[in-house]
Amino acid sequence: MSNTSDSTNIDEIDRRILAILAKDPRIPYSDISTELADEGLELSSEAIRQRVASLLDITTSFFLLRPDTHEWEIVLVTVRTDGGTSAKAEVFEAMSGMDFWFVGSGFGTVDLYAHATVSSTAEVDKLVNDVREIPAASEVDYFVETGRSTAVERYLQVE
């Protein structure tokens, strides 16, 4: 297993630490050390602190609230573009200026996708219609999230 000292490699211990922190971001380092020891991974509280400090340099903090516990909804909007790279860049820039808290660009069955938090279906309609008005957006679909299962340990990869 590698050490996070070079700030680019994430090993299995780092994955376990991040999974523990995802469940309880305020957990003391000593409790993390104890939990890891129960799994056969012996690290001191100071070693945990050093690893967390290194991980904070290469990660972002984002806490996802469960959608079924609030009076608002999370909407996912997907976009297909026509016109190649410039069209994709145009839509990405336009969506980045809208009320989305995440906009992603890539390749596959959609060109872009974005997440927003809305308090009503009227807000969903407005946001989706605003995206549809972008000239380079050829197809726009959306999905309102009503439940979620998150497994952060599957998100993090070990080389």
Side-chain angles (χ1 to χ4, degrees):
M1 286 187 213
S2 65
N3 188 322
T4 55
S5 60
D6 77 5
S7 293
T8 58
N9 293 325
I10 302 234
D11 64 16
E12 190 169 332
I13 295 170
D14 295 330
R15 290 178 64 185
R16 286 299 306 130
I17 290 170
L18 287 170
I20 292 166
L21 288 170
K23 291 177 188 169
D24 182 1
R26 298 183 62 163
I27 188 170
Y29 297 139
S30 59
D31 291 356
I32 295 173
S33 178
T34 301
E35 193 167 326
L36 292 176
D38 291 345
E39 298 174 18
L41 302 168
E42 299 290 334
L43 278 91
S44 68
S45 295
E46 178 59 20
I48 300 292
R49 186 197 65 73
Q50 290 173 1
R51 280 179 175 263
V52 169
S54 292
L55 289 166
L56 290 175
D57 289 339
I58 61 171
T59 60
T60 59
S61 296
F62 193 77
F63 302 101
L64 295 173
L65 300 171
R66 289 184 28 219
D68 58 344
T69 62
H70 299 282
E71 296 297 319
W72 40 261
E73 306 293 343
I74 296 174
V75 62
L76 165 69
V77 176
T78 62
V79 181
R80 289 174 192 82
T81 61
D82 285 333
T85 306
S86 63
K88 195 171 177 179
E90 175 189 333
V91 175
F92 184 86
E93 185 176 330
M95 291 177 72
S96 294
M98 296 179 174
D99 287 336
F100 294 105
W101 46 262
F102 177 89
V103 179
S105 174
F107 63 90
T109 57
V110 297
D111 294 314
L112 300 116
Y113 68 104
H115 293 276
T117 303
V118 296
S119 60
S120 67
T121 55
E123 284 186 51
V124 172
D125 287 341
K126 180 179 179 345
L127 194 56
V128 170
N129 287 330
D130 287 348
V131 173
R132 286 181 173 143
E133 290 177 8
I134 302 169
S138 61
E139 290 184 47
V140 178
D141 293 306
Y142 68 95
F143 173 83
V144 176
E145 181 179 298
T146 58
R148 176 187 310 120
S149 171
T150 305
V152 73
E153 62 275 5
R154 292 184 204 148
Y155 169 75
L156 304 165
Q157 294 184 353
V158 175
E159 293 183 17

